[in-house]
Amino acid sequence: MRIFSLFLFGAILACQPAQQESTETASDVDPYSFGSAIVQPDTQRLPRRIAFGSCADQNRPQPILRHVVDRQAELFIYLGDNIYGDTEEMSVLQAKYQMLADKPEFQALRAAMPTVAVWDDHDYGANDAGRHYPKKDSSKAMFMDFWGVPATSLRRQHPGIYGSHMFEENGQRLQLILLDTRTFRDHLLPNDGQGDHKNDYRPNPNPDSTVLGEAQWAWLETQLQEPADLRIIASSIQFGHSYNGWESWTNIPHEQQRFLDLIARTRANGVVFISGDVHWGEISRREPERMYPLYDVTASGINQDWDKIEPNTYRVGDAVAEYNVGMMEVDWEARRLTLLSIDQDNRERNRVEVALDSLRF
Ligand SMILES: [Fe+2]
């Protein structure tokens, strides 16, 4: 019986009547099962090698996942477009998740380490979709089951997929914040062909437009108030780059600034962003006012690339045009962090060394 999901479905409808999905009815089906064993993160240990990636077409092989296993990563963070669902039919979405579950390289990854995930537009359900996508609740239920989010997780108890994990060992703490950049996000402003705008979108100056929505902002503030030595913020879309007209936090600049202001106000140490979506890999480094250097490691994609990489004034190192994943190595004794881009041939394409204590107010 899908008891927990039934309860949740009712709760979501009760508190969000505006988002009611008239075509959906709760049904007596088992939780979605995709047949692969799921390892949960062990929060009593600090991981030393954390890998992450995004943009994985379920129709094609994903051999780069073998390199992640070979490198003995201890955690893999999926950053969205984890499948290309692109449908409002949940049976189609389920079949596409099943294609990922059936891949031997994905099974090897999942057997070797815990996997946690956020979603982006294509696994949420539609290209560049935000809060108007009509199947968000059904898609969330499947996401939660596929990624093995426990029935007791707070992530299942509110609209959207945001949540966090706190790892702690020997008095040091790693916080992993998983953002939902889809469920609450307003329409983006199309490129009007004027000025410096290019590609699909121009920045939206309307102060009412949002990426995260107020409930997630309030939750995020409480998260940033938690003490942590390193704080990985998983955002499906890029945060630290310069405007390029594709989807990212630069589409809604006042929300990007709100994030910086929130980090400064809560004096949250150790923030490093990781992101996906764009089909190339790069590391951005910004120096916002009133805070320490802010890195964004973009890992994209697992088996997706793009023919035109956009300029980025904050990029440090190479833009990686080939399939790639990101990696974070943490020497907790020396309090050193290494940010890496790893390409499809298992070559290190970017390597940035950061003293953990340089990421402090
Ligand atoms: Fe995307």
Side-chain angles (χ1 to χ4, degrees):
M1 290 286 289
R2 194 181 184 132
I3 298 168
F4 194 77
S5 296
L6 283 173
F7 168 77
L8 266 179
F9 190 72
I12 289 165
L13 292 186
C15 62
Q16 285 220 316
Q19 296 180 3
Q20 185 164 342
E21 299 172 20
S22 58
T23 58
E24 294 189 285
T25 55
S27 59
D28 271 356
V29 295
D30 291 331
Y32 296 110
S33 174
F34 298 92
S36 59
I38 296 166
V39 181
Q40 296 295 338
D42 176 3
T43 55
Q44 309 295 307
R45 287 185 55 250
L46 288 172
R48 305 177 73 88
R49 287 177 300 281
I50 302 159
F52 43 93
S54 68
C55 306
D57 179 352
Q58 69 280 354
N59 292 300
R60 294 190 288 115
Q62 301 176 7
I64 199 168
L65 299 181
R66 301 282 187 190
H67 300 324
V68 174
V69 175
D70 291 345
R71 284 175 176 266
Q72 299 185 303
E74 295 160 68
L75 175 67
F76 192 86
I77 304 165
Y78 271 89
L79 291 167
D81 297 337
N82 307 321
I83 58 167
Y84 284 74
D86 298 311
T87 181
E88 294 181 9
E89 295 295 330
M90 292 303 105
S91 60
V92 173
L93 192 65
Q94 186 174 9
K96 290 180 174 180
Y97 270 122
Q98 190 63 55
M99 290 177 74
L100 175 58
D102 290 343
K103 287 190 181 309
E105 60 272 36
F106 179 73
Q107 291 169 0
L109 180 86
R110 250 191 169 176
M113 68 196 74
T115 51
V116 296
V118 296
W119 61 19
D120 201 37
D121 49 340
H122 294 286
D123 44 344
Y124 178 56
N127 185 45
D128 291 3
R131 66 184 176 87
H132 300 93
Y133 173 66
K135 298 289 184 175
K136 56 170 72 71
D137 299 333
S138 306
S139 181
K140 175 187 173 179
M142 202 179 305
F143 175 97
M144 291 284 144
D145 291 344
F146 183 83
W147 294 109
V149 177
T152 53
S153 171
L154 293 175
R155 296 178 79 187
R156 290 188 183 259
Q157 295 173 22
H158 56 68
I161 59 149
Y162 61 85
S164 68
H165 297 272
M166 184 69 85
F167 300 79
E168 186 164 9
E169 186 180 16
N170 298 327
Q172 296 189 91
R173 299 178 110 200
L174 163 66
Q175 185 183 37
L176 173 57
I177 294 178
L178 304 167
L179 295 181
D180 185 339
T181 63
R182 294 291 159 187
T183 304
F184 312 96
R185 203 217 65 206
D186 286 310
H187 279 315
L188 300 178
L189 212 52
N191 177 10
D192 56 2
Q194 305 294 313
D196 295 332
H197 306 142
K198 59 178 180 176
N199 297 322
D200 286 349
Y201 301 109
R202 61 190 158 112
N204 188 343
N206 180 351
D208 290 336
S209 59
T210 186
V211 176
L212 297 184
E214 284 309 315
Q216 187 171 192
W217 275 118
W219 166 84
L220 181 60
E221 180 160 0
T222 65
Q223 294 296 309
L224 294 178
Q225 288 166 344
E226 294 277 332
D229 297 271
L230 174 61
R231 207 181 301 268
I232 299 172
I233 299 184
S235 165
S236 69
I237 50 174
Q238 288 188 295
F239 186 89
H241 71 133
S242 46
Y243 166 82
N244 64 26
W246 299 122
E247 276 203 300
S248 83
W249 280 84
T250 62
N251 302 136
I252 305 186
H254 53 272
E255 288 270 285
Q256 189 179 33
Q257 186 59 48
R258 181 176 179 173
F259 213 142
L260 296 173
D261 292 344
L262 183 62
I263 294 169
R265 182 155 48 82
T266 55
R267 301 187 72 75
N269 293 324
V271 168
V272 176
F273 280 84
I274 58 175
S275 58
D277 180 52
V278 286
H279 298 191
W280 67 80
E282 63 183 342
I283 300 178
S284 302
R285 180 187 191 276
R286 302 179 74 137
E287 294 185 6
E289 287 178 26
R290 296 180 292 126
M291 74 172 289
Y292 51 82
L294 193 62
Y295 290 91
D296 182 358
V297 186
T298 301
S300 178
I302 287 171
N303 64 3
Q304 296 280 76
D305 57 13
W306 198 249
D307 54 7
K308 182 177 177 293
I309 294 177
E310 296 290 336
N312 174 7
T313 55
Y314 301 113
R315 182 183 299 142
V316 289
D318 282 344
V320 184
E322 297 80 10
Y323 304 155
N324 65 89
V325 292
M327 190 101 158
M328 213 179 277
E329 295 177 349
V330 194
D331 182 337
W332 291 100
E333 289 74 33
R335 294 182 64 82
R336 289 203 70 78
L337 182 64
T338 306
L339 311 176
L340 300 163
S341 300
I342 308 294
D343 73 13
Q344 60 200 21
D345 297 320
N346 207 11
R347 292 177 301 178
E348 225 173 70
R349 297 288 297 278
N350 281 314
R351 183 182 192 88
V352 176
E353 309 264 357
V354 184
L356 212 46
D357 292 315
S358 70
L359 305 179
R360 297 181 70 82
F361 283 95

